Amino acid sequence: MNLSRLIESGHFPKVYDPSRRIPEDIFDELLKFMYSIPTSVNAQSTHYLVASTPEARSRIADHIGEGFEFNVPKVRNASHVIVLATRETLSNEYLDELHAKELADGKFPNQALADQWKATVRMWIDLHRYDVKDLQHWMEKQTYLALGMSLMAAEELGINASPLEGFNSRTLDAELGLREKGFTVTVLLVLGYRDESDSYVKTPKSRLPMDRHFSFLK
Ligand SMILES: Cc1cc2nc3c(=O)[nH]c(=O)nc-3n(C[C@H](O)[C@H](O)[C@H](O)COP(=O)(O)O)c2cc1C
């Protein structure tokens, strides 16, 4: 990965080349990486819906919602789109399923540590569920971490990627049947190759001066 190139001109593409597809082995590697992305207390609260055919991408493009038409060509012309959806809540049954899998995978050196971890996870989730009352928001933060890591992984694999927040979650959730499964769309990840006509790439990045965003503690 060339970080200095990203710093200089790493705009997210605005126009994708409809003739280019991500090779399957490279896309598989990206999915494997995404599968490995961590979540706080290993809550695994994100579901990824992969649209790799024109038909699947059309389902997203056709239901992106009024006012978000500017994102339609990106979805149609990209090679792949991944919908990052987040759970509405975390049931105790799901937490038990996660714990059983951790046990089966040999995550704990002994039963005492397994029990301790189980109690810590329950305490942490209940804190967000009952005290702070931000469980869904907290899970969406996990999804955004996955988004950021996926964007960097795509760069590493030579794929162009754009995050899209511009969509109507009501129409997209309905089309993808997400709410009945206990999920809702958080953000879209568009993947493919920038089209040569994308003149935005030539414009400089605009940020406030660095000292507005960074303070160095003494
Ligand atoms: C989480 C996130 C969501 C975004 N959603 C959209 C979007 O829906 N459509 C779009 O054209 N650009 C989208 N952008 C691009 C931003 O508008 C863009 O990154 C920002 O204006 C800074 O420009 P630069 O990255 O080219 O420097 C998104 C960026 C981020 C980080």
Side-chain angles (χ1 to χ4, degrees):
M1 189 185 313
N2 186 338
L3 272 189
S4 46
R5 196 199 59 75
L6 269 186
I7 293 166
E8 297 298 322
S9 60
H11 296 292
F12 299 127
K14 296 286 181 203
V15 188
Y16 279 85
D17 182 344
S19 70
R20 292 189 65 191
R21 263 192 81 73
I22 301 168
E24 225 162 283
D25 56 328
I26 293 183
F27 189 71
D28 285 350
E29 202 174 347
L30 179 67
L31 289 193
K32 267 191 215 128
F33 175 80
M34 290 174 73
Y35 177 56
S36 80
I37 288 174
T39 41
S40 177
V41 298
N42 205 16
Q44 302 174 55
S45 40
T46 305
H47 189 82
Y48 303 93
L49 294 95
V50 180
S52 53
T53 62
E55 294 74 27
R57 281 185 280 106
S58 276
R59 288 182 64 190
I60 299 168
D62 292 346
H63 296 88
I64 209 150
E66 218 179 300
F68 302 108
E69 292 81 5
F70 56 92
N71 277 332
V72 167
K74 300 182 194 84
V75 171
R76 287 204 192 283
N77 295 331
S79 170
H80 293 66
V81 177
I82 302 183
V83 178
L84 281 76
T86 306
R87 285 182 175 272
E88 276 167 35
T89 189
L90 279 177
S91 67
N92 288 340
E93 290 72 37
Y94 185 65
L95 293 180
D96 287 345
E97 184 187 344
L98 292 176
H99 188 69
K101 183 71 165 72
E102 289 175 331
L103 277 173
D105 287 342
K107 188 175 158 83
F108 311 105
N110 58 54
Q111 191 58 43
L113 282 174
D115 294 344
Q116 194 185 357
W117 176 246
K118 188 173 182 182
T120 302
V121 171
R122 195 58 63 91
M123 179 276 290
W124 192 251
I125 298 301
D126 282 351
L127 181 77
H128 288 283
R129 194 180 352 226
Y130 299 118
D131 299 313
V132 188
K133 300 192 193 303
D134 73 339
L135 186 57
Q136 220 273 332
H137 181 62
W138 172 80
M139 287 189 286
E140 289 213 313
K141 291 182 198 169
Q142 312 306 317
T143 300
Y144 266 82
L145 174 66
L147 172 73
M149 291 181 71
S150 304
L151 287 166
M152 295 302 280
E155 179 68 27
E156 173 70 15
L157 292 168
I159 303 169
N160 293 136
S162 313
L164 299 188
E165 280 181 334
F167 58 84
N168 180 321
S169 53
R170 199 171 331 128
T171 51
L172 217 44
D173 281 354
E175 170 60 19
L176 303 174
L178 281 169
R179 293 190 185 181
E180 49 269 42
K181 295 190 190 104
F183 286 86
T184 180
V185 180
T186 297
V187 68
L188 307 179
L189 176 60
V190 171
L191 299 153
Y193 299 98
R194 187 194 304 276
D195 193 80
E196 276 177 21
S197 67
D198 187 0
S199 55
Y200 185 62
V201 72
K202 296 184 192 93
T203 62
K205 282 200 173 186
S206 166
R207 302 289 187 264
L208 291 176
M210 204 159 170
D211 63 5
R212 293 290 303 279
H213 296 316
F214 291 86
S215 301
F216 296 90
L217 301 176
K218 294 197 174 77

